[in-house]
Every structure is written in C-alpha cells, then in structure tokens.
Amino acid sequence: MITQKLEPLFKLENYQRQPRFQNGFYQQDILSVNQFGKENLDYIFERADEMKAMAHQWGTCDLLKDYTLACVFYEPSTRTSSSFISAMARLGGKVIPITEGIQYSSVSKGESLIDSILTLEQYCDVIVLRHSEIGSSATAAKYAKVPIINAGDGAGEHPTQALLDLYTIQSELGHIDGLKVAMVGDLRYGRTVHSLTRLLSQYDVSLRFVSPETLRLPMDLMNDLIDKGIKVRETNKVSDVIENADVLYVTRIQKERFTDLAQYEEVKNYFEITPEVMAQAKEKMIVMHPLPRVGEIHYKVDRDPRAAYFRQVQNGLYIRMALLAAVLGQA
Ligand code: NCD
C-alpha cells in the first residue's frame, strides 16, 4: 500500500493557455461572411501570408501544439476537410477526424447533431462542421462552448471558402476594387457563390451572374446587392461576360440539392469553359473554381496560366491555418 503523498504530475500554475493576440476572432464562431468587416479580412489575409512563408520555409511549427480540432463532416469533402487537417498538422496541433467515416460514428445509430457536438467538444478546442442543413452550424454554435467553424451548411454559406476565394483574387490580381467578377453555374444552390458574393459586396465591384433560368441567384441575395448599390447583371450565356471579366468564378451544378433529378438532367451540361472560350478572355484575368469540377472546365484549360483553381486550393491551406490560429488566440 502506498502511504506517502503523491507528487503532483503537473506544475499547472506555471503555464496557462492564454490568447497571444487581440484579433476579433478569438473564441468566435465562424458562421457567415456577414460577420467579417474589411479590417478582419485584411487581418486574416496578412496572417495567411505569414503562414505561407512559414510553410515554405519550415513546413511545420508548434503554434497550435496545445490544441485539438474536431473535423466533423456529414457531407462529402476532399479539399475543405483535408486542408483543415493539414492546417492543424502544419501548426503542430491534433485532429479528431470525423469525415469520410461519419457512417462509423454514432450518427449511424441515430445520434442527433447536437448530441454529437456536445460530446466532441469535450475532446477538443474548436470544431469544423459541414452539414446538409442550412443553419446547422448556427444551431451547433448555440449549444457548443467551443467555437464552431462552418465548413458548408447545405445550400447556405461556406465562409472559409469565401475567405480563400477573396484572398486568391487579391493575391492574383493585386486588388479587389474595380474588378468585374462573373459567377457562372449553379447560383441558386452553390453556397460558395452565396458567401463570396456577400463578401465582394463590401467592395467596389461589378458582378455578372451567368446561370440557367432555374438556377439564378436567390432573390433575397440579389436584392441585398441592389440595395447596396452594387452593379449587377444577369445572363444565361458565358459569351456575354467572357470578354470583360477579370474573374470568371465557375461552379458545379449541385446535383445533390435537386429534389427532381429530371431537372438536374436538363441543366447538367449547360456550359463548358474550353480553350476556345478562353481565347475570348482578357490576357490579365483569372479562372477560379471551388472544385470539384464535373465537366465545367475542360482539362486543357489547366495549362492556361490564367487557370487559378489549383493555386486557389493551396491558398485554402494558408487561410485555414490563419483562421484556426486566430480563433484560438495564437495569431
Ligand atoms: C464546394 C462546396 O462543398 O460547397 N466545395 C468546396 O468546399 N471546395 C463546392 C462544390 O461542392 O461544388
């Protein structure tokens, strides 16, 4: 039998996790782009530049070594989930990955989103959540004590994608004011379009929307743009916008959001960006796509230096490193 008093395992008084920076993001949920003002955007973009330099020079660091992220994806993902996991790894943090394997979690036993979140938050410091319902992240945030980062809530928003999209435009073209941005594809269900459009409306831009009639930008979003005095134009032909566009933001038709698959079949091959289409575009412009693509951009376009979509993917890593570190008070 042990009689002597146990030596304490940890000298807890010597170290406390403290925020290192007052940044406006510390312990905040990231639910919608509406919460970002220009100051926040500049802050994150500057931090992303630093993350990029660090990753190129060192590969990894230990900025988030004391932190754990739960990555919870109820919908498929390649880029968003793996870039958050990679971001955490490069910053020396840990990840609980509930991504492709959600079918092996208790969700398959019928556990509610809230119960899953209330459980996972016991193990981590921040949760990244993707779910098929609009408003799911906001609901989770209402219950959770740890910050929730919305990684896509159905056809609602995808704020971290919009951050990396805007960061890409700024990095590639040097500025945002004065640009003509054309959004092409599924503007009705495409959450990346909804978030990026809202962010862009803080700048002096003109927006062109190209879609089939059934997939036009939602009315409330369009009205917001008009109220803000943004110059907008709608068309159903890429040829109407290609010559003047500084940014061509192409999106996939969101098959999974259609209740009537016959309607999807009608629009699925609506347009394709080919080298011939690109021949009409300006010399200095960029083509973006949140990816995955399913036929909207021909593979031959990848060799065009104006094709920015894989550089956009890379920027996602730096933006998510910056955001995670900022939310945890370490950037
Ligand atoms: C997008 C998404 O999930 O909304 N993908 C992504 O996060 N890069 C776009 C899409 O699925 O079409």
Side-chain angles (χ1 to χ4, degrees), residues 169 173 175-181 204-207 246-247:
I169 297 174
L173 299 174
H175 61 103
I176 296 161
D177 283 325
L179 293 179
K180 291 192 175 67
V181 181
D204 176 22
V205 290
S206 31
L207 301 176
D246 299 299
V247 177

Side-chain angles (χ1 to χ4, degrees), residues 73 75-81 130 151-154 157-158 160-161 164-165 189-193 249-254 256-257 289-294 296 312-313 320:
F73 280 64
E75 279 195 329
S77 166
T78 299
R79 275 148 293 270
T80 308
S81 57
R130 171 172 289 188
D153 58 329
E157 278 220 39
H158 195 345
T160 69
Q161 178 73 39
L164 78 90
D165 289 343
Y189 297 120
R191 55 194 173 198
T192 70
V193 169
Y249 189 90
V250 185
T251 61
R252 165 182 77 90
I253 309 292
Q254 308 277 303
E256 67 275 30
R257 310 276 178 236
H289 194 309
L291 303 176
R293 65 175 148 185
V294 285
E296 309 84 40
Q312 188 183 348
V313 169
R320 286 169 177 139

Side-chain angles (χ1 to χ4, degrees), residues 272-287:
E272 186 186 18
I273 308 302
T274 59
E276 292 70 44
V277 174
M278 289 304 293
Q280 301 164 50
K282 295 205 285 196
E283 206 172 303
K284 189 175 177 203
M285 58 86 71
I286 51 170
V287 182

Side-chain angles (χ1 to χ4, degrees), residues 3-260:
T3 50
Q4 88 226 60
K5 194 170 171 298
L6 276 178
E7 276 292 312
L9 260 181
F10 307 106
K11 302 245 180 334
L12 294 174
E13 67 281 4
N14 291 347
Y15 174 71
Q16 261 193 331
R17 294 198 307 182
Q18 294 286 355
R20 291 173 58 201
F21 299 96
Q22 296 302 325
N23 56 29
F25 291 90
Y26 179 57
Q27 289 298 314
Q28 296 297 306
D29 302 303
I30 307 295
L31 303 176
S32 157
V33 291
N34 290 338
Q35 69 195 86
F36 305 134
K38 275 192 186 163
E39 261 178 40
N40 302 127
L41 297 171
D42 290 343
Y43 188 88
I44 285 296
F45 293 174
E46 272 180 48
R47 288 310 201 199
D49 287 342
E50 290 184 76
M51 294 300 180
K52 182 175 181 173
M54 186 285 292
H56 281 224
Q57 203 150 325
W58 297 347
T60 62
C61 67
D62 62 4
L63 199 65
L64 296 186
K65 71 176 164 44
D66 302 326
Y67 296 90
T68 300
L69 160 74
C71 216
V72 189
F73 280 64
Y74 287 77
E75 279 195 329
S77 166
T78 299
R79 275 148 293 270
T80 308
S81 57
S82 45
S83 63
F84 269 113
I85 292 169
S86 176
M88 227 31 209
R90 286 188 179 273
L91 294 172
K94 318 278 182 298
V95 179
I96 304 168
I98 306 197
T99 50
E100 320 304 317
I102 197 107
Q103 69 269 31
Y104 303 116
S105 77
S106 283
V107 167
S108 64
K109 300 181 193 167
E111 182 164 67
S112 72
L113 170 65
I114 301 308
D115 279 358
S116 294
I117 293 293
L118 290 177
T119 301
L120 286 163
E121 73 168 348
Q122 311 300 324
Y123 310 137
C124 69
D125 304 290
V126 53
I127 295 175
V128 170
L129 175 66
R130 171 172 289 188
H131 193 277
S132 58
E133 266 169 52
I134 294 179
S136 47
S137 287
T139 307
K142 222 185 282 169
Y143 290 87
K145 286 186 210 70
V146 303
I148 300 286
I149 299 180
N150 179 3
D153 58 329
E157 278 220 39
H158 195 345
T160 69
Q161 178 73 39
L163 287 178
L164 78 90
D165 289 343
L166 197 69
Y167 179 66
T168 299
I169 297 174
Q170 179 151 303
S171 318
E172 295 274 330
L173 299 174
H175 61 103
I176 296 161
D177 283 325
L179 293 179
K180 291 192 175 67
V181 181
M183 307 267 189
V184 183
D186 187 343
L187 311 182
R188 177 178 180 188
Y189 297 120
R191 55 194 173 198
T192 70
V193 169
H194 302 164
S195 290
L196 180 57
T197 299
R198 288 194 177 102
L199 266 196
L200 283 169
S201 72
Q202 296 193 33
Y203 294 82
D204 176 22
V205 290
S206 31
L207 301 176
R208 309 274 183 271
F209 296 105
V210 187
S211 72
E213 179 62 30
T214 49
L215 298 179
R216 286 168 62 186
L217 196 76
M219 203 54 130
D220 56 336
L221 188 43
M222 184 61 90
N223 287 337
D224 284 352
L225 297 175
I226 293 166
D227 288 348
K228 280 187 164 173
I230 302 287
K231 289 175 235 99
V232 291
R233 211 185 289 162
E234 286 184 286
T235 169
N236 52 18
K237 289 202 293 290
V238 174
S239 57
D240 288 344
V241 302
I242 190 71
E243 283 173 23
N244 288 325
D246 299 299
V247 177
L248 192 72
Y249 189 90
V250 185
T251 61
R252 165 182 77 90
I253 309 292
Q254 308 277 303
K255 182 179 181 185
E256 67 275 30
R257 310 276 178 236
F258 285 69
T259 41
D260 177 2

